[in-house]
Amino acid sequence: MIDQLTQAVDELDTTDDPLRTVLRRMSTVDETERRWYLLSTEFTLHAIRHPATARTLAEHDRRLREEITHLLARLFDRLGRRPTVDLDCRFKDRHALHMVRLNHHIGPIRRRTR
């Protein structure tokens, strides 16, 4: 997710429609994104059962939010805009929507039958 957003922000200098560029980049779901979603879900389930893992995951999520909030600030700067909402809250909203979209895109996981 960070790599996609960083590339989208960097690409703003060479595009005629910066907002469309970012939205297009962030809405693409590929195999890497699918695998990340499944692994992230599995790790979250593991963290629910193990408090030490939950603390590690919370710290990782905090660092991730910091990085993405910084990238969002860069995005607003490049667009010549000032955010009217807290970027950390905005990221949390966007991340929740992203996870729902991934869940919808991936759909139910079907078991293989022999």
Side-chain angles (χ1 to χ4, degrees):
M1 180 188 293
I2 290 176
D3 289 342
Q4 281 181 314
L5 186 55
T6 300
Q7 290 170 0
V9 171
D10 289 344
E11 193 176 318
L12 294 179
D13 291 332
T14 60
T15 185
D16 294 332
D17 191 346
L19 190 55
R20 185 178 304 271
T21 298
V22 171
L23 292 175
R24 186 186 71 245
R25 287 282 218 150
M26 294 308 296
S27 65
T28 301
V29 177
D30 59 12
E31 184 60 24
T32 301
E33 190 78 7
R34 179 186 171 283
R35 286 181 185 163
W36 173 87
Y37 175 78
L38 295 173
L39 182 60
S40 175
T41 300
E42 193 66 38
F43 193 78
T44 299
L45 292 171
H46 179 78
I48 289 169
R49 295 184 301 269
H50 299 91
T53 303
R55 286 188 294 276
T56 300
L57 180 59
E59 178 58 24
H60 175 268
D61 287 349
R62 185 195 62 73
R63 286 192 315 268
L64 180 66
R65 279 195 323 273
E66 266 182 19
E67 288 183 56
I68 291 179
T69 299
H70 174 73
L71 286 169
L72 288 173
R74 281 184 54 207
L75 172 62
F76 275 95
D77 286 344
R78 294 248 178 122
L79 293 172
R81 307 273 185 182
R82 292 187 57 189
T84 58
V85 296
D86 177 69
L87 291 179
D88 187 56
C89 289
R90 177 64 182 124
F91 166 72
K92 289 176 186 175
D93 292 344
R94 174 66 178 107
H95 182 66
L97 289 173
H98 183 70
M99 295 302 282
V100 168
R101 184 179 58 81
L102 282 173
N103 186 42
H104 177 73
H105 179 77
I106 291 170
I109 299 171
R110 294 183 178 90
R111 287 184 183 204
R112 286 183 165 174
T113 56
R114 295 182 194 215

